[in-house]
Amino acid sequence: MNESSASFASAETGVLAACALHAVPGVGNASLHAMQRVFASLQKAFEAGPRELLERADDLNLHAATREYLAGSPDLEELGGWALAEARRADARILLLGDARYPQRLAQLDKPPLVLYVRGHLAAEARRVAIVGARHSDEEGLRIARRFGEQLSQASVQVVSGGARGVDSAAHEGASHGQQSVAVLGCGVDVVYPPENRSLFERMAKSGGAVVSEFPPGTQPRPGNFPRRNRTIAGLSEAVVVVRAALRSGAMITAEQAVVARRRVFAVPGQPGNPISAGPDELIRLGVADPVPTATRVLELLDWPVPDELRGEADKGLPGGPERTDLAARQSNALRAVGTVSEAGHKLLGLLHERAPSHVDDLAEKAGLSVSQTLRKLAELEQKGMCL
C-alpha cells in the first residue's frame, strides 16, 4: 500500500469510528467530546470497544440508554457501517472536526460538532448570514425574510437557516431558490422535515447550497434536537438576523447562541403589539441586536461590499436602538430576552463562558449551589443547547 492509499484508508477508518460512536443511542456531541478527551481520539475509543466504554461510563457521563446499549456488547463496526451506508444512500458525505473541508467558523465554537453529515456543497470558508424567525409568521415577515435572502445572495452571501416552515423557508427560497443557502436540520440528513420542503432541500443539495445535520441518519425531529441545531446555525454564520419571533422561541435561542459565539446579532423592527415582533424588538431594546430594515444595512454593518443594484435600498426611518454593549452585558441581556434560563443557570453559564474550572465541584462552589443542583442545571442547559 502506498502512502496515499494508507492515508485514505486511515481517514476512512476514522470516519467509520466516528459514525459508529455517534450512532450509539444517547451519544451526542458532548459524549463524543468526552470520549475524545478520555481516550485521546474517537478512533481509540472505538477500538476500546463496548466493554471498556462501559467501564469508563462515569468518566464519560454516559446516559442510562447508552449504558444499557453497550451492556449488550453491540458490534460497533457494523453500526458504523450502517451509518455510513445510510449517509451515502442520502447522497451525503461526512465531515469530521479537523478535516480541511470542515467549516472554519463552526470550528471556532467551544466544543463544535465533531461529526457533520452534509448533502451538497458546504465550503470550508464563505461569507454566511443566518436568517431565523417564527414558523407561524405573518405575511409581512415572510416577505421580509424572502427579500433578505434575495439581497444577501445578490451580494454572494450564503443564507443559513433551519429549513423549517415560515421565516426559515422564505429566507431559503429568497436565496436564489436555495442555491445560495444552507439548511441546518434538527433531524438526520436523510429525514425530510418538514415534508413539504423536499424539493427545496433537493435544489439546495444539487445547486450550490447544502443540507447539513449533526445528528446520525434516521434521527427524527424531536424538540430536544433544535437547540443544538440552533447553535450550529449561529456557529456557521458571521451574523444572525431575527426577522419575526416570540419572546420564547427557537429564534431567540439562536440569537443567544450567536452572542455566546461572539457573532453579530441583527433584528428587524416590527409593529408594536405584534406578538411575533416581540422577540426582535426586545433584542433591540436590550442592546443585544442592531436594528436592520434591509439586508443592505447588514452588509454595511459587517463592512462587506454592497452590490450596485442594492445601493438604492436606503434605510429611511430606521428606528434607533441603544448603544451596543460589551459582550458580557450582551450575553446577560440575551439570556434575559430569551427568558428560559433560571438565575442559577445564568450563574453557571457565566462561569462556563469565562472558561472557569469545569469540574462540577468547582462550578458548584463558585455558583453557590450544591453538586446535585449544579448537575441538574447543567443538564437543563445542555438540553437547551447552551452548554456541551
Side-chain angles (χ1 to χ4, degrees):
M1 182 182 294
N2 61 35
E3 184 176 340
S4 176
S5 299
S7 176
F8 178 79
S10 175
E12 285 290 290
T13 304
V15 170
L16 176 68
C19 288
L21 295 171
H22 196 209
V24 170
V27 169
N29 193 51
S31 299
L32 290 178
H33 275 280
M35 290 178 186
Q36 185 165 262
R37 172 178 53 80
V38 170
F39 290 95
S41 73
L42 293 183
Q43 179 66 42
K44 290 181 179 178
F46 171 77
E47 292 169 354
R51 179 178 294 181
E52 191 168 346
L53 288 170
L54 197 55
E55 288 174 357
R56 305 296 297 273
D58 288 341
D59 295 333
L60 300 171
N61 197 25
L62 297 181
H63 296 290
T66 305
R67 299 180 191 223
E68 183 179 351
Y69 181 81
L70 293 174
S73 300
D75 185 331
L76 294 182
E77 185 170 354
E78 182 179 347
L79 182 64
W82 168 84
L84 278 169
E86 291 302 305
R88 287 167 179 160
R89 188 173 290 114
D91 200 24
R93 72 184 193 279
I94 293 119
L95 289 181
L96 304 184
L97 182 64
D99 189 310
R101 299 168 298 170
Y102 191 96
Q104 293 180 11
R105 291 200 65 78
L106 187 61
Q108 294 170 5
L109 290 183
D110 180 33
K111 295 183 180 177
L114 282 171
V115 184
L116 287 179
Y117 295 86
V118 180
R119 292 179 59 203
H121 179 65
L122 184 68
E125 191 170 5
R127 290 186 297 163
R128 297 187 178 103
V129 169
I131 301 176
V132 297
R135 285 178 170 82
H136 303 289
S137 176
D138 55 14
E139 285 300 320
E140 178 69 5
L142 298 179
R143 184 193 67 77
I144 291 170
R146 197 172 291 111
R147 181 61 176 152
F148 266 69
E150 180 184 350
Q151 291 177 327
L152 289 171
S153 65
Q154 283 180 276
S156 300
V157 175
Q158 280 195 328
V159 170
V160 183
S161 198
R165 298 181 177 100
V167 166
D168 289 16
S169 292
H172 288 308
E173 287 282 2
S176 301
H177 302 288
Q179 295 178 31
Q180 281 284 344
S181 189
V182 177
V184 184
L185 306 183
C187 54
V189 74
D190 58 334
V191 176
V192 180
Y193 180 80
E196 63 266 27
N197 278 354
R198 181 180 295 275
S199 61
L200 174 62
F201 294 158
E202 288 296 323
R203 288 200 303 274
M204 287 184 194
K206 294 179 179 178
S207 306
V211 179
V212 180
S213 175
E214 64 172 281
F215 299 99
T219 301
Q220 296 303 304
R222 302 181 184 93
N225 296 348
F226 290 95
R228 287 172 56 187
R229 182 276 308 261
N230 296 341
R231 182 176 187 262
T232 299
I233 289 173
L236 280 168
S237 309
E238 182 80 21
V240 170
V241 180
V242 182
V243 175
R244 290 284 191 271
L247 282 173
R248 296 193 176 190
S249 62
M252 294 291 281
I253 291 176
T254 306
E256 192 276 336
Q257 296 286 7
V259 173
V260 171
R262 293 169 169 77
R263 308 298 198 253
R264 294 289 295 272
V265 179
F266 304 113
V268 179
Q271 294 297 322
N274 183 349
I276 57 173
S277 291
D281 287 348
E282 184 72 354
L283 292 171
I284 293 168
R285 186 184 73 80
L286 292 172
V288 175
D290 291 305
V292 288
T294 66
T296 303
R297 183 62 176 155
V298 172
L299 295 171
E300 290 172 346
L301 289 171
L302 291 175
D303 199 25
W304 287 350
V306 177
D308 290 340
E309 60 267 31
L310 296 183
R311 290 193 179 277
E313 296 271 348
D315 292 335
K316 296 178 181 178
L318 179 66
E323 292 294 321
R324 284 177 59 82
T325 52
D326 62 34
L327 179 64
R330 280 188 283 125
Q331 287 177 341
S332 176
N333 288 346
L335 288 168
R336 285 169 56 199
V338 172
T340 60
V341 181
S342 67
E343 184 178 349
H346 285 206
K347 289 181 180 178
L348 287 172
L349 275 173
L351 292 170
L352 292 169
H353 295 163
E354 291 169 8
R355 303 295 191 271
S358 57
H359 192 280
V360 68
D361 291 335
D362 295 326
L363 288 172
E365 181 179 355
K366 287 178 179 292
L369 303 170
S370 68
V371 171
S372 61
Q373 286 176 315
T374 301
L375 289 171
R376 187 168 63 252
K377 292 300 178 184
L378 287 172
E380 291 174 5
L381 293 171
E382 181 181 346
Q383 189 172 9
K384 296 180 192 310
M386 294 180 176
C387 75
L388 295 171

